[in-house]
Amino acid sequence: MDHIVTVQDAVTAFADWMEPTNAELDAIEQEMPVIRADIELLDAQIITLDRTPTELDNRRIRRARRRVLAERLILANRTAAATLPGGAA
């Protein structure tokens, strides 16, 4: 007798009751600036894949890297402030 457990898991993996919770959606929303900055950096890097980067391309990549770092710092500070008692970072 063959069991179809993997098929059952695949069917229930997309059940209506398995939607993200409000807390998970809030966490994604807080991380969106970092995600957008990462996408901007990837776009800048992808542009230079099939050609020699120009000075403008190099500036665009540096600017995108700085933005990623800045957004990650903001997110880290926000997360640290939310986890510490009294809101002190």
Side-chain angles (χ1 to χ4, degrees):
M1 175 182 232
D2 293 331
H3 297 285
I4 56 170
V5 175
T6 56
V7 173
Q8 179 64 29
D9 290 341
V11 171
T12 58
F14 300 104
D16 292 338
W17 52 269
M18 294 191 69
E19 295 293 323
T21 64
N22 287 337
E24 291 170 334
L25 291 174
D26 290 340
I28 292 170
E29 187 65 33
Q30 285 186 352
E31 293 176 10
M32 279 309 292
V34 176
I35 294 168
R36 286 188 193 107
D38 282 333
I39 291 171
E40 182 181 322
L41 176 59
L42 284 172
D43 286 344
Q45 292 171 334
I46 288 170
I47 289 171
T48 62
L49 285 178
D50 61 346
R51 66 176 188 202
T52 304
T54 65
E55 182 58 32
L56 180 63
D57 293 330
N58 290 331
R59 280 191 241 158
R60 184 179 295 128
I61 291 172
R62 283 194 307 268
R63 185 174 51 243
R65 283 184 182 148
R66 285 193 304 267
R67 182 169 176 230
V68 167
L69 292 174
E71 293 296 342
R72 287 182 183 173
L73 178 65
I74 291 168
L75 180 63
N77 287 339
R78 187 180 317 134
T79 305
T83 58
L84 291 177

